[in-house]
């Protein structure tokens, strides 16, 4: 007889990921064109534990004052200024606090500047590589290294702009970025650092609110498809119009307060003008890249300032509640969990996976029979835009650059960033645009309540376990300069994992690049 229990548990995780993916990426028929078409997700395997104060660098910047410094975005009342450290120690001195913020900024910068691969999985091996000393150098494997080499070794359209066009181009570029002075903690020297301008930051903050409203709309709609969930069906029948209004209201706010149309017109103008002459923009972007470079005070290695918007999201109470139960399986089991099917050693849609079982970094699935009746998982979810003020997507997507015949042979740069196919191949097929976080995970199914069950025994130990990209705690996790455990508890109510974790990234897929226009007459 076939193992129906195994089939059922596999269907559970497949349907769970399908529903989660659809909630995150579906484009409601309400202002659908406004949503970024970032339907490729790089799922973390496993989810990476964080604490809110890992992101105090984004809120407070890197200077001694909470209202100044690189990327500073204080919360109301500057509530985190004297907050305790993530390890429970008392508030640090200003010097210790700045040093810790720089270390955390460096860790975040390295972690999110990976290049997604077609498998759609960002596993521990890839994560470790991003903290190698070579990750941001010429032959590294980061977005920064590929982008830097594109700027340095490409040929660009060399035409002539009018004085008015040059003046307008300079003014628009200055509206998009801001240059601040920051003291180098090691040398003590003052240097200029480039960050997103306040108007761009506000654009992304309100774009994030629009994404959250769309996520809520999608989640409620999908829940209502489960005919056995009477409450969800009734909620949609009564409140669907309210959820639609929230999406429209978030969009209107993005347009009016976030200057959505104005910012996008500026980007369109820059793209149009630079089709004639990309020389000035290329010089400016090289300068911007250099100014975004900071130094890790512990290792002395350089990194590029990268933040998240909204900066205060990890401290926020406004995360959305999500749930998935056994009754949702039939309506979601046929959904995909990424932009295309991909192969992996352990697929992301695998039933419970043990992490670091035996040799370091190894994984194995729970193959034993398991009663997943009454399966239910709940968690809170939030999304944050990734800010890279040193990177110009307008330049990358332009048809006014190409690689020259004399381009050096670099291990991280082939003659194509992407071939534009699905699945794609190339040096940089995509880049992460949005980080997906969850917290307060609660899991329950029948076998968890059996004292003698294999899964209960494993969870009561310190074995790391994951369900798809959701980290169910246990074990220890090393990320750059920090290593920590991820707490969980097994009670009569099931498994509880209270901490915050990063489970994946929405990614922008690149079209065929470079894709030089035949209309360009002169290249330099």
């Amino acid at each position: 007889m076939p193992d129906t229990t195994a089939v059922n548990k596999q269907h559970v995780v497949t349907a769970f990921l399908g529903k989660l993916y659809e909630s995150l990426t579906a484009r409601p028929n309400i202002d659908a064109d406004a949503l970024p078409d970032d339907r490729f997700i790089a799922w973390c395997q496993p989810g990476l534990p964080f604490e809110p104060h890992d992101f105090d660098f984004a809120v407070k910047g890197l200077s001694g004052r909470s209202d100044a410094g690189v990327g500073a975005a204080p919360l109301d009342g500057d509530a985190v200024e004297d907050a305790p450290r993530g390890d429970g120690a008392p508030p640090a001195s200003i010097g210790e606090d700045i040093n810790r913020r720089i270390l955390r900024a460096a860790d975040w910068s390295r972690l999110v500047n990976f290049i997604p691969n077609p498998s759609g999985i960002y596993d521990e091996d890839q994560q470790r590589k991003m903290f190698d000393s070579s990750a941001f150098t010429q032959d590294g494997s980061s977005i920064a290294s590929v982008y830097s080499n594109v700027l340095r070794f490409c040929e660009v359209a060399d035409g002539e702009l009018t004085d008015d066009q040059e003046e307008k181009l300079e003014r628009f570029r200055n509206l998009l970025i801001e240059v601040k002075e920051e003291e180098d903690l090691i040398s003590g020297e003052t240097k200029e650092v480039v960050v997103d301008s306040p108007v761009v930051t506000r654009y992304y903050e309100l774009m994030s609110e629009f994404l959250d409203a769309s996520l809520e709309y999608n989640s409620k709609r999908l829940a209502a498809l489960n005919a056995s969930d009477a409450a969800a069906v009734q909620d949609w029948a009564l409140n669907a119009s309210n959820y639609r209004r929230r999406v429209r209201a978030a969009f209107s706010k993005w347009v009016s307060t976030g200057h959505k149309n104005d910012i996008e017109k500026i980007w369109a103008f820059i793209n149009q003008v630079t089709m004639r002459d990309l020389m000035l923009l290329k010089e400016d972007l090289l300068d911007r890249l250099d100014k975004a470079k900071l130094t890790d005070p512990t290792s002395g290695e350089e990194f590029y300032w990268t933040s998240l918007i909204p900066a205060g999201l990890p401290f926020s109470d406004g995360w959305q509640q999500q749930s998935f139960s056994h009754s949702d399986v039939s309506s979601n089991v046929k959904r995909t969990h990424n932009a295309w099917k991909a192969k992996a050693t352990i697929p992301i849609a695998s039933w419970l996976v043990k992490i670091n079982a035996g040799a370091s970094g190894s994984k194995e699935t729970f193959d034993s029979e398991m009663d997943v009746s009454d399966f239910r998982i709940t968690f809170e979810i939030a999304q944050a835009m990734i800010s890279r003020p040193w990177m110009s997507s307008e330049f990358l997507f332009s048809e006014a650059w190409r690689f020259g015949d004399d381009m050096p042979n670099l291990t991280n740069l082939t003659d194509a960033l992407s071939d534009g196919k699905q699945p794609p191949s190339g040096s940089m097929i995509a880049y992460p645009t949005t980080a997906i976080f969850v917290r307060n995970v609660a899991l329950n199914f029948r076998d968890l309540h059996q004292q003698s069950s294999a899964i209960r025994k494993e969870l009561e130990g310190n074995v790391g376990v994951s369900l798809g990209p959701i980290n169910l705690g246990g074990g220890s996790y090393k990320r750059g300069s920090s290593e920590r455990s991820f707490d969980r508890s097994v009670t009569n109510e099931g498994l509880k994992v209270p901490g915050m974790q990063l489970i994946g990234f929405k990614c922008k897929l690149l079209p065929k690049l470079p894709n030089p226009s035949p209309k360009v007459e002169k290249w330099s």
Side-chain angles (χ1 to χ4, degrees):
M1 292 180 61
D3 184 357
T4 56
T5 302
V7 171
N8 286 339
K9 70 185 182 184
Q10 184 57 54
H11 283 180
V12 166
V13 68
T14 300
F16 163 61
L17 271 184
K19 182 181 177 183
L20 179 59
Y21 175 77
E22 184 78 3
S23 297
L24 288 165
T25 62
R27 297 164 68 85
N29 55 7
I30 308 167
D31 303 311
D33 291 340
L35 276 171
D37 191 19
D38 301 345
R39 292 182 57 83
F40 177 60
I41 292 184
W43 297 107
C44 295
Q45 194 183 50
L48 296 168
F50 279 89
E51 295 176 4
H53 286 276
D54 287 329
F55 299 98
D56 55 4
F57 69 88
V59 177
K60 297 164 66 176
L62 301 182
S63 71
R65 295 182 295 119
S66 64
D67 60 345
V70 177
L75 296 172
D76 293 341
D78 208 20
V80 300
E81 180 65 26
D82 296 316
R85 300 192 320 202
D87 56 9
S93 67
I94 290 179
E96 290 175 329
D97 186 46
I98 293 173
N99 184 72
R100 189 176 67 251
R101 277 183 261 157
I102 295 175
L103 290 175
R104 289 172 173 173
D107 285 353
W108 177 250
S109 173
R110 293 188 174 97
L111 182 69
V112 303
N113 279 294
F114 72 102
I115 297 173
N117 64 51
S119 74
I121 294 177
Y122 186 29
D123 62 20
E124 289 176 294
D125 289 339
Q126 292 172 277
Q127 294 160 17
R128 277 193 290 268
K129 288 177 182 177
M130 294 309 300
F131 293 96
D132 290 346
S133 60
S134 64
F136 284 84
T137 63
Q138 176 173 298
D139 290 327
S141 57
S142 69
I143 294 169
S145 63
V146 171
Y147 178 71
S148 173
N149 283 331
V150 167
L151 288 178
R152 287 176 169 82
F153 300 116
C154 73
E155 295 179 346
V156 296
D158 185 2
E160 290 188 6
L161 301 180
T162 66
D163 291 342
D164 180 64
Q165 287 173 329
E166 287 191 13
E167 180 183 348
K168 196 173 183 180
L169 184 62
E170 178 67 16
R171 181 165 60 87
F172 280 173
R173 288 204 304 257
N174 290 335
L175 286 173
L176 300 178
I177 63 167
E178 189 172 282
V179 178
K180 295 188 175 184
E181 289 189 347
E182 192 72 23
E183 182 178 311
D184 190 292
L185 196 64
I186 296 176
S187 67
E189 297 178 353
T190 299
K191 62 173 293 185
E192 291 184 327
V193 180
V194 63
V195 299
D196 282 326
S197 69
V199 69
V200 170
T201 299
R202 188 62 176 159
Y203 172 92
Y204 283 122
E205 286 175 345
L206 296 183
M207 177 181 176
S208 181
E209 289 186 13
F210 178 58
L211 290 176
D212 286 342
S214 298
L215 171 61
E216 180 186 40
Y217 178 89
N218 287 332
S219 299
K220 297 293 185 181
R221 176 180 59 83
L222 292 171
L225 295 177
N226 177 12
S228 62
D229 190 342
V233 174
Q234 185 179 43
D235 175 55
W236 183 252
L238 295 174
N239 299 310
S241 60
N242 292 329
Y243 298 131
R244 281 192 288 269
R245 286 192 195 100
R246 290 179 188 175
V247 175
R248 291 194 183 101
F251 180 76
S252 297
K253 185 178 178 182
W254 184 17
V255 171
S256 60
T257 309
H259 301 286
K260 176 184 182 295
N261 295 339
D262 294 334
I263 293 294
E264 291 172 2
K265 285 178 182 177
I266 289 175
W267 285 333
F269 173 82
I270 292 174
N271 183 60
Q272 177 186 5
V273 169
T274 53
M275 273 295 295
R276 304 173 198 172
D277 186 353
L278 211 57
M279 294 293 292
L280 289 175
L281 181 60
K282 178 180 175 180
E283 292 173 6
D284 178 70
L285 293 178
L286 283 167
D287 181 62
R288 189 193 304 185
L289 183 67
D290 185 63
K291 286 178 178 176
K293 194 180 297 182
L294 299 170
T295 304
D296 184 326
T298 299
S299 65
E301 295 172 1
E302 295 177 329
F303 66 97
Y304 293 89
W305 170 261
T306 306
S307 189
L308 73 165
I309 301 172
L313 179 138
F315 305 90
S316 169
D317 294 328
W319 292 38
Q320 291 186 30
Q321 185 73 30
Q322 297 279 303
S323 66
F324 179 89
S325 66
H326 192 270
S327 61
D328 291 311
V329 171
S330 60
S331 58
N332 292 281
V333 71
K334 293 184 179 181
R335 298 188 189 279
T336 181
H337 57 268
N338 224 323
W340 56 75
K341 292 183 179 180
K343 294 182 179 179
T345 304
I346 296 183
I348 195 66
S350 295
W351 182 243
L352 300 177
V353 175
K354 288 190 282 188
I355 309 160
N356 294 327
S360 176
S362 65
K363 302 179 182 70
E364 61 178 284
T365 58
F366 283 93
D367 293 325
S368 59
E369 291 189 7
M370 204 170 296
D371 188 348
V372 295
S373 300
D374 303 324
F375 178 94
R376 181 173 175 80
I377 185 170
T378 62
F379 52 89
E380 296 174 52
I381 190 168
Q383 303 173 81
M385 312 302 295
I386 298 172
S387 167
R388 299 184 188 89
W390 44 267
M391 177 176 158
S392 170
S393 58
E394 297 77 42
F395 176 89
L396 285 179
F397 285 79
S398 169
E399 295 181 344
W401 70 272
R402 68 182 187 183
F403 289 124
D405 295 334
D406 57 349
M407 184 184 76
N409 184 20
L410 303 173
T411 57
N412 76 329
L413 197 63
T414 62
D415 58 359
L417 297 188
S418 175
D419 60 10
K421 299 178 181 179
Q422 288 199 4
S425 63
S427 302
M428 191 170 88
I429 64 167
Y431 61 89
T433 59
T434 308
I436 306 165
F437 295 95
V438 301
R439 68 184 181 191
N440 297 330
V441 176
L443 175 68
N444 197 16
F445 56 91
R446 188 163 296 177
D447 248 28
L448 283 179
H449 298 278
Q450 304 297 324
Q451 294 289 339
S452 60
S453 70
I455 182 62
R456 175 85 183 212
K457 292 178 180 178
E458 294 283 9
L459 291 174
E460 288 179 338
N462 195 39
V463 175
V465 179
S466 67
L467 176 69
I470 306 289
N471 193 324
L472 299 180
S476 61
Y477 300 85
K478 183 174 177 59
R479 182 178 66 251
S481 60
S482 64
E483 183 172 1
R484 65 189 62 178
S485 59
F486 199 24
D487 295 334
R488 69 177 176 225
S489 61
V490 182
T491 69
N492 291 334
E493 297 178 348
L495 177 69
K496 307 272 187 190
V497 189
M500 168 183 173
Q501 55 181 288
L502 173 66
I503 65 165
F505 300 88
K506 289 182 181 176
C507 302
K508 180 68 176 178
L509 286 168
L510 271 60
K512 180 183 178 182
L513 288 177
N515 189 25
S517 170
K519 296 180 181 179
V520 176
E521 297 179 356
K522 182 181 178 182
W523 298 89
S524 296

